[in-house]
Amino acid sequence: MAKGVQYNPEIPLLWLDELKKVPAKAADGVAKYYLNALKRRFNSMETPDGIPWKPLSEKYKATKPLAVRDKILVLSGRLKDSFTYAVSQQRIAFMTTVPYAATHQFGSAKKNIPARPFLGFSKSNLKEIEKVIDEKVYGIKRR
């Protein structure tokens, strides 16, 4: 499980609250960068650590529309497009209220669904976030 990922089943709300001490001038840029990175993760079908998600069962795969048959965690795009963020006191939280998000993030033995983590930061995400902060706060552009 990715560090910092939390779930409140009463709402339901799945969120990642790991970015702390982000300068206010950079918060919006950092949040937008991560939301785009998160969407790319759904396209690459990998965990934050770059490990491919477990494949779909052949039985389930056969029920999906042809256009998305080979896509994992994508049927309508609802989950992928549901993420938002909130900034407060130098912290950024990324969240979704899609009810089945936690099932896919953590897996469900009861439903025979493997964990396919999408929330979390890769090393390259953290490097890019540093670049965004440098640019927004200090005016330094790095490649």
Side-chain angles (χ1 to χ4, degrees), residues 1 41-48 50-58 60-61 64 68-74 103-109 112-118:
M1 176 173 69
R41 191 165 291 145
F42 279 81
N43 294 334
S44 66
M45 299 182 290
E46 296 177 337
T47 70
I51 300 166
W53 288 336
K54 301 275 186 212
L56 298 171
S57 71
E58 290 302 318
Y60 176 69
K61 191 175 180 180
K64 291 182 72 176
V68 293
R69 188 159 292 160
D70 293 325
K71 295 285 185 187
I72 301 171
L73 298 188
V74 175
T103 299
H104 292 296
Q105 175 75 24
F106 304 119
S108 170
N112 198 25
I113 297 174
R116 295 183 177 107
F118 41 83

Side-chain angles (χ1 to χ4, degrees), residues 34-118:
Y34 182 71
L35 288 179
N36 285 327
L38 183 58
K39 285 185 179 190
R40 286 192 304 273
R41 191 165 291 145
F42 279 81
N43 294 334
S44 66
M45 299 182 290
E46 296 177 337
T47 70
D49 296 323
I51 300 166
W53 288 336
K54 301 275 186 212
L56 298 171
S57 71
E58 290 302 318
K59 183 179 176 182
Y60 176 69
K61 191 175 180 180
T63 68
K64 291 182 72 176
L66 191 56
V68 293
R69 188 159 292 160
D70 293 325
K71 295 285 185 187
I72 301 171
L73 298 188
V74 175
L75 184 59
S76 67
R78 179 180 177 203
L79 178 60
K80 176 180 170 181
D81 295 332
S82 70
F83 292 90
T84 187
Y85 65 92
V87 178
S88 67
Q89 299 178 4
Q90 295 187 311
R91 294 177 81 153
I92 305 173
F94 299 92
M95 66 207 83
T96 180
T97 57
V98 170
Y100 50 84
T103 299
H104 292 296
Q105 175 75 24
F106 304 119
S108 170
K110 183 179 180 181
K111 295 178 181 178
N112 198 25
I113 297 174
R116 295 183 177 107
F118 41 83

